[in-house]
Amino acid sequence: MIPGSTFHGRNASPDLLDAERILAALSPGGRRAIARLEIHAEIDSTNRYLMREAATGAPCGTLCLAECQTAGRGRLGRSWVSPFGANLYLSMLWRYKAPPAALGGFSLVAGAVVADVLRRIGAGGLALKWPNDLLWDRRKLGGMLLEVAGEAKGPSALVVGIGINVRMTPDHGRAIDQPWVDLAEVLGGSRVDRNTLAALIVDALIDALERFDREGLTPFLALWDGFDAFRGEQARILLADQEIRGRVLGIASDGALRLETADGERRFHAGDVSLRRECDGEGEGER
Ligand code: BTN
């Protein structure tokens, strides 16, 4: 085991997350890039935890997974339903010399990379709703939450949080306020080993975090485009105090959403922005 790899809590069943098994399934490069790996039986939120750790000097490459989150966080202030032992809740801390403002595009990269990994293990029909909602059959399979802290001119600490519904019971699913799906259904009932899945995602994420540092968003645009769930669709953008309608043109080179409106093309950056299909009502459809 690499120094600093710990398991906080019980680990009786082979199905539980296991630091040794994750490390064994990683590529040599992935293993080298991980400075610290923590698996918690229960935590408030893996993202919140790593943001706290980042503030006290945790190194680049600190990886945290949990069997359950008591206060899992989603985008736009929503909560993320995080029952024990069923799904994947994973956060990675990465440090960049660049300022926080330069890292916004990674929000799209994270979604594209996770979708690509799942496609490689046999999940067909995946789609991304800008910026990074992972959908299947218009139902939510996973999501990413990126949080960043740093100086205006850099450096920055980026926490990439990834949540994937792997095996959600209908009981737990009732707490989710939108249509959802889990990987077991997407894969036609095949069982997914969560340690292997975690390693595949972490390997791909590390590659992407390193490449983004060298080359920015550009090399990932085509991958994201290939999963675009909304391109060509009539849609609504919900801002804090207004709603803008138009046809989705895709994403710009900086990751902004391009919308063709009655007043011409407008671009939106991820943040406090929500995208809906024109035909979805206020309280329905994926968010
Ligand atoms: C979304 O709203 O789509 C984003 C969901 C992100 C959930 C993950 S689970 C691991 C990490 N810890 C959190 O509290 N949230 C993210």
Side-chain angles (χ1 to χ4, degrees), residues 44-48 69 71-75 78 80 82 88-91 132-133 140 142-145 161-163:
D44 52 356
S45 147
T46 53
N47 259 44
R48 185 181 295 171
Q69 299 184 114
R73 300 199 285 189
R75 285 186 64 241
R78 298 191 185 104
W80 188 256
S82 309
L88 213 54
Y89 320 115
L90 173 163
S91 298
N132 55 25
D133 274 0
K140 185 126 171 175
M144 332 290 140
L145 177 67
I162 298 171

